[in-house]
């Protein structure tokens, strides 16, 4: 696989499991002016570790790979397509199982329509109940890569979930809520009664191939 300068690239490294490995790897990347967009430890064993980096790289990737392979802690280096190219934007749907399924039906169908036109939108579902569990999951969405929108599908959500929704919205995450009891709808960007429509609107809101902008809506309850 070859990548031209300026591309977003993915690099998977197999390394020794030892203190300071990440420091050495990021030092090499910094010397090549690489901008780390995401990093994840794929596998962490007692003697070996697999690490994935997604980078914006102004120079050629071959020089970076050569210097990474020269490190004593590195066993193998593999250039891969970035997850942004493969999986693209992510939509997370969480809440009660049946309602999550209905939202997913609309989201997956709409994502397929945009993906055949060049988009890369994936849909993740998290059937989950309980105030504290849901609040923690909402906050965790900001730690997941490529998440653009969250849909909350349930019958009753409020309390700490509402606070979590306001926190992630302040950090730029789009939150769509089903029209349910509790204070979460008041804290969300959009409130949609029909779960299938909620899934469709979530995809339309993040797709570059859709002419739909949440900020231009005259009302936010549907």
């Amino acid at each position: 696989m070859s990548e031209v300068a300026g591309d977003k690239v993915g690099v998977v490294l197999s390394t020794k499991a030892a203190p300071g490995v990440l420091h050495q790897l990021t030092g090499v990347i910094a010397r090549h002016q690489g901008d780390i967009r995401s990093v994840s430890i794929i596998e962490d064993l007692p003697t070996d570790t697999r690490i994935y980096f997604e980078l914006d790289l102004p120079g050629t990737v071959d020089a970076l790979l050569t210097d990474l392979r020269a490190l004593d802690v590195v066993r193998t280096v593999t250039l891969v397509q970035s997850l942004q190219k493969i999986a693209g934007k992510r939509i997370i749907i969480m809440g009660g199982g049946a309602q999550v399924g209905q939202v997913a039906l609309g989201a997956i169908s709409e994502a397929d329509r945009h993906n055949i036109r060049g988009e890369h939108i994936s849909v993740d579902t998290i059937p989950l109940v309980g105030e504290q569990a849901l609040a923690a999951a909402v906050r965790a969405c900001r730690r997941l890569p490529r998440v653009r929108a969250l849909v909350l599908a349930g019958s009753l959500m409020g309390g700490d979930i509402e606070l979590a929704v306001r926190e992630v919205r302040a950090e730029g995450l789009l939150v769509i809520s089903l029209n349910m009891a509790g204070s979460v709808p008041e804290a969300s960007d959009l409130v949609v009664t029909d779960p299938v429509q909620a899934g469709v609107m979530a995809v339309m809101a993040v797709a570059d191939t859709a002419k739909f902008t949440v900020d231009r809506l005259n009302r936010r309850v549907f």
Side-chain angles (χ1 to χ4, degrees):
M1 181 189 303
S2 62
E3 301 280 351
V4 299
D7 271 354
K8 190 181 297 293
V9 298
V11 181
V12 175
L13 302 102
S14 176
T15 73
K16 298 177 183 178
V21 169
L22 275 176
H23 176 71
Q24 294 185 53
L25 299 177
T26 56
V28 171
I29 294 169
R31 288 200 299 272
H32 287 266
Q33 304 300 310
D35 185 6
I36 300 173
R37 310 304 296 177
S38 69
V39 58
S40 59
I41 297 176
I42 304 170
E43 191 173 36
D44 187 14
L45 301 175
T47 58
D48 298 277
T49 301
R50 292 179 66 227
I51 304 170
Y52 171 73
F53 286 98
E54 195 156 293
L55 314 167
D56 284 334
L57 194 66
T60 59
V61 71
D62 291 340
L64 171 64
L65 300 184
T66 298
D67 286 353
L68 286 172
R69 291 187 178 107
L71 293 174
D72 290 338
V73 296
V74 172
R75 304 187 193 280
T76 63
V77 181
T78 306
L79 184 67
V80 297
Q81 280 196 328
S82 71
L83 289 176
Q84 186 65 44
K85 285 186 177 180
I86 296 171
K89 306 161 187 171
R90 295 172 71 186
I91 293 172
I92 306 289
I93 306 165
M94 66 175 68
Q99 289 151 313
V100 165
Q102 289 299 300
V103 175
L105 177 64
I108 293 170
S109 299
E110 184 69 10
D112 182 63
R113 187 171 74 89
H114 291 279
N115 287 345
I116 63 176
R117 295 158 59 191
E119 283 278 2
H120 294 276
I121 299 173
S122 58
V123 180
D124 296 330
T125 61
I126 308 176
L128 194 63
V129 296
E131 180 182 343
Q132 295 308 315
L134 277 165
V138 169
R139 293 185 174 101
C141 285
R142 294 300 297 149
R143 303 194 295 272
L144 296 173
R146 300 176 289 102
V147 176
R148 299 292 185 88
L150 167 66
V151 184
L152 292 171
S155 300
L156 170 63
M157 292 186 192
D160 196 31
I161 306 171
E162 177 200 346
L163 297 178
V165 167
R166 294 189 185 277
E167 290 171 16
V168 298
R169 283 188 62 203
E171 295 176 358
L173 183 65
L174 173 69
V175 179
I176 297 175
S177 167
L178 294 189
N179 199 350
M180 66 177 86
S183 56
V184 160
E186 297 176 6
S188 302
D189 291 285
L190 287 180
V191 181
V192 184
T193 301
D194 181 79
V196 176
Q197 183 183 356
V200 171
M201 293 181 75
V203 172
M204 291 177 63
V206 304
D208 293 332
T209 50
K211 296 181 179 179
F212 175 71
T213 305
V214 172
D215 293 341
R216 298 179 62 182
L217 294 174
N218 294 323
R219 58 192 179 101
R220 64 177 198 87
V221 179
F222 296 89

